[in-house]
């Protein structure tokens, strides 16, 4: 099948490469000429494990192509996926200008029947707007061309996106057209052979399903973070609580980890957008508002712990704090809504120096921090190390921010010898308390009992 994907960012590139890998001919479009030039030269604009090899293999087989031309993309396609950004607007609602501009561009060019698929995360009712935008352009041309608009939300986890696409747990498709639904079944057949994963519904229900799923996962995270903060006051250990809860089959173990709050490109904007949708219909979503409020507070939890450890915010002035991890989660270079940025802002404001290391996100973090704080301030307060040990060397304390695998089993004796205050703050609860304290380090996690048993 001939597929065009409009938008060659995270979702679009993964979607295009995976469809090409099962034999389709896919043309990925992006208006960013630098991105397309990079892809055509064999580069990859994002970090996602395995994506570089998948793109290279299918580009070499001429099943995966890249362009900046809408004329080429529309003429090529039997199916057009819309995978453009839907960033949050000032009021929290999803900004649909890019997806509607793409829809108008399709309407200006189609000459034969096509199925247009909303792959981007969009508010309920966007399918109707996309259909109206295409129909409006056809009317301007005086043209009559059959087209269908389908909702097919993505459920890709950054860091595991290829596996999520190739072996999905569900494939949600919303459409009121039997012929479009049949085509979508055919398109997804290679990914649904062993078990039936294809779920049919109407367009609006499909749009809401995506928001509902992300909102539920975000709510579980904020719920656990609130419990973690309470556990500290009660002298309980949230890790024991998590294990006990997760064994209940009605609850399950996923997304029960306490930490510094959620970030990334999906949960923050999707929760805000769903809250805004509720407000538009005079239906306040109080649980989701609490989810967002808790998450914003949680991003400050490690700074508050540092303040308590050193005695006051003033006592932090002149201290050097090592950060392990900058990306919002492991296996990605995505810094959008990353808790590390909130912590770094607070540390800079307190007069701290920061020594940070991330296996892949340092370059993106540097770009964002330079834009926000300026070259002079960053030169004075920020050092981006080339290794975890270099970041920790001669710092006062270490903060584990992102749970990359390489941080899982550090040399605690090295840390005890090189951290002036001999303090470790575990923002992801990955370290064993007894192992840390046995090396002569003090330990603070999130919702943990921060002393050795019977000490």
């Amino acid at each position: 099948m001939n597929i065009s994907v409009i938008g060659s960012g995270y979702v679009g590139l993964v979607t295009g490469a995976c469809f090409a890998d099962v034999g389709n001919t896919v043309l990925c479009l992006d208006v960013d000429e630098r991105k397309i030039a990079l892809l055509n030269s064999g580069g990859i604009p994002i970090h996602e494990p395995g994506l570089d090899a998948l793109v290279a293999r299918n580009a070499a087989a001429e099943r995966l192509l890249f362009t900046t031309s809408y004329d080429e993309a529309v003429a090529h396609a039997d199916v057009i996926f819309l995978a453009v950004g839907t960033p949050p607007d000032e009021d929290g609602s999803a900004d649909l200008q890019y997806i509607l501009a793409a829809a108008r561009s399709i309407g200006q060019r189609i000459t034969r029947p096509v199925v247009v698929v909303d792959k981007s995360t969009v508010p309920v009712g966007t399918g109707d707007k996309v259909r109206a935008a295409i129909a409006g352009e056809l009317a301007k041309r005086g043209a009559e061309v059959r087209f269908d608009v389908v909702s097919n939300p993505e459920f890709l986890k950054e860091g595991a996106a290829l596996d999520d696409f190739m072996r999905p747990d569900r494939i949600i498709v919303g459409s009121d057209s039997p012929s479009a639904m049949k085509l979508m079944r055919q398109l997804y057949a290679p990914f649904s052979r062993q078990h039936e994963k294809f779920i049919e519904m109407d367009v609006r229900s499909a749009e809401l399903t995506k928001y509902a799923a992300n909102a539920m996962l975000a709510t579980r995270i904020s719920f656990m973070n609130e419990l973690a903060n309470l556990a500290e006051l009660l002298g309980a250990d949230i890790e024991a609580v998590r294990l006990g809860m997760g064994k209940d089959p009605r609850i399950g173990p996923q997304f029960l980890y306490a930490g510094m709050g959620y970030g990334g490109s999906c949960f923050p904007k999707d929760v805000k957008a769903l809250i805004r949708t509720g407000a538009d219909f005079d239906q306040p979503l109080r649980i989701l508002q609490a989810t967002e409020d808790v998450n914003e507070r949680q991003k400050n939890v490690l700074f508050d712990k540092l303040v308590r450890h050193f005695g006051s915010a003033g006592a932090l002035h002149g201290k050097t704090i090592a950060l392990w991890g900058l990306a919002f989660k492991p296996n990605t270079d995505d810094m959008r809504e990353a808790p590390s940025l909130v912590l770094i802002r607070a540390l800079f404001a307190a007069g701290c120096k920061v020594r940070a290391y991330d296996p892949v996100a340092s370059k993106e973090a540097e770009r964002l921090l330079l834009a926000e704080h300026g070259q002079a301030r960053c030169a004075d307060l920020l050092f981006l190390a080339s290794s975890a040990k270099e970041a920790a060397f001669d710092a006062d304390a270490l903060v584990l921010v992102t749970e990359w695998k390489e941080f899982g089993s550090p040399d605690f004796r090295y840390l005890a010898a090189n951290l002036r205050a001999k303090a470790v703050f575990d923002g992801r609860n990955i370290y064993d308390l007894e192992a840390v304290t046995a090396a002569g380090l003090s330990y603070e996690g999130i919702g943990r009992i921060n002393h050795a048993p019977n000490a």
Side-chain angles (χ1 to χ4, degrees):
M1 199 175 298
N2 288 336
I3 300 169
S4 287
V5 180
I6 297 178
S8 298
Y10 184 83
V11 173
L13 190 56
V14 169
T15 297
C18 289
F19 275 132
D21 204 49
V22 295
N24 299 288
T25 302
V26 181
L27 182 58
C28 289
L29 175 145
D30 205 284
V31 296
D32 186 337
E33 294 183 356
R34 290 175 298 178
K35 184 184 293 183
I36 294 300
L38 176 64
L39 288 163
N40 277 324
S41 67
I44 297 288
I46 59 174
H47 177 84
E48 177 63 34
L51 183 59
D52 52 353
L54 187 69
V55 168
R57 179 169 71 246
N58 285 282
E62 298 185 346
R63 290 190 300 266
L64 184 61
L65 310 166
F66 305 100
T67 185
T68 59
S69 169
Y70 265 100
D71 289 340
E72 288 182 26
V74 173
H76 169 80
D78 303 306
V79 183
I80 301 176
F81 282 85
L82 299 180
V84 299
T86 53
D89 218 333
E90 291 182 2
D91 62 358
S93 62
D95 185 348
L96 299 180
Q97 62 172 310
Y98 305 110
I99 200 166
L100 294 180
R104 287 190 293 270
S105 294
I106 293 169
Q108 291 161 6
R109 292 168 172 84
I110 53 173
T111 58
R112 59 189 177 89
V114 68
V115 174
V116 178
V117 184
D118 283 340
K119 197 67 173 169
S120 303
T121 300
V122 293
V124 176
T126 300
D128 295 335
K129 294 178 180 179
V130 168
R131 184 179 291 107
I134 296 172
E137 294 301 324
L138 286 171
K140 289 178 185 178
R141 293 165 50 197
E144 292 187 10
V145 181
R146 176 185 169 85
F147 70 94
D148 291 300
V149 175
V150 170
S151 176
N152 173 219
E154 54 86 12
F155 296 95
L156 305 177
K157 298 186 295 292
E158 291 190 50
L162 300 189
D163 190 61
D164 286 345
F165 199 102
M166 294 294 197
R167 287 176 283 277
D169 48 27
R170 79 279 209 200
I171 300 165
I172 304 292
V173 177
S175 176
D176 57 4
S177 165
S179 62
M181 193 67 78
K182 182 179 179 180
L183 184 146
M184 293 298 290
R185 275 192 174 275
Q186 178 185 347
L187 185 60
Y188 275 107
F191 309 101
S192 187
R193 291 201 182 280
Q194 291 186 337
H195 304 284
E196 180 56 61
K197 301 171 184 177
F198 198 92
I199 302 174
E200 298 184 13
M201 58 185 70
D202 61 276
V203 172
R204 287 187 170 227
S205 295
E207 291 170 337
L208 183 56
T209 297
K210 168 63 175 180
Y211 277 105
N214 278 1
M216 173 58 78
L217 298 177
T219 299
R220 284 170 69 100
I221 293 170
S222 282
F223 176 75
M224 290 304 291
N225 282 333
E226 277 213 308
L227 280 186
N229 296 336
L230 177 62
E232 287 189 11
L233 299 175
L234 297 175
D237 191 327
I238 197 62
E239 284 297 290
V241 175
R242 175 181 67 81
L243 291 172
M245 289 176 61
K247 290 296 184 182
D248 187 329
R250 298 167 300 175
I251 298 172
Q254 303 259 344
F255 287 83
L256 293 185
Y257 293 90
M260 297 174 61
Y262 58 78
S265 62
C266 295
F267 288 4
K269 76 177 181 64
D270 292 353
V271 169
K272 288 182 175 70
L274 194 51
I275 291 170
R276 183 64 212 179
T277 297
D280 289 343
F281 285 85
D282 197 26
Q283 181 64 47
L285 302 179
R286 295 182 178 89
I287 290 176
L288 287 191
Q289 186 62 61
T291 293
E292 183 184 20
D293 293 343
V294 168
N295 192 62
E296 289 307 302
R297 289 196 302 272
Q298 196 69 14
K299 290 181 180 181
N300 293 295
V301 68
L302 283 183
F303 179 75
D304 294 340
K305 287 177 179 291
L306 284 163
V307 169
R308 288 196 297 271
H309 181 86
F310 286 100
S312 68
L316 281 173
H317 187 84
K319 294 289 191 295
T320 299
I321 307 300
L323 303 188
W324 281 0
L326 293 164
F328 88 95
K329 64 178 290 187
N331 299 318
T332 181
D333 60 352
D334 197 339
M335 290 293 299
R336 286 173 287 187
E337 300 282 345
S340 65
L341 294 175
V342 177
L343 177 58
I344 289 171
R345 290 186 196 110
L347 292 172
F348 281 2
C352 292
K353 294 185 177 183
V354 172
R355 295 174 64 87
Y357 168 70
D358 189 285
V360 301
S362 291
K363 185 175 181 180
E364 177 64 9
E366 182 179 35
R367 183 186 70 81
L368 294 173
L369 291 168
L370 284 173
E372 182 175 345
H373 299 282
Q375 178 71 46
R377 188 167 176 77
C378 285
D380 183 46
L381 297 179
L382 177 68
F383 173 74
L384 292 173
S386 59
S387 70
K389 282 189 172 182
E390 186 181 26
F393 179 75
D394 209 27
D396 289 283
L398 168 67
V399 179
L400 186 285
V401 177
T402 312
E403 65 276 32
W404 287 91
K405 282 186 177 180
E406 69 175 87
F407 303 147
S409 185
D411 183 347
F412 291 120
R413 290 172 298 181
Y414 174 87
L415 295 177
N418 286 279
L419 294 174
R420 288 193 290 262
K422 301 187 184 306
V424 173
F425 296 82
D426 182 359
R428 300 297 174 182
N429 290 347
I430 68 172
Y431 296 136
D432 178 74
L433 170 63
E434 291 189 55
V436 178
T437 55
L441 295 159
S442 67
Y443 172 88
E444 287 217 35
I446 308 292
R448 305 296 308 276
I449 299 172
N450 295 316
H451 54 78
N454 303 317

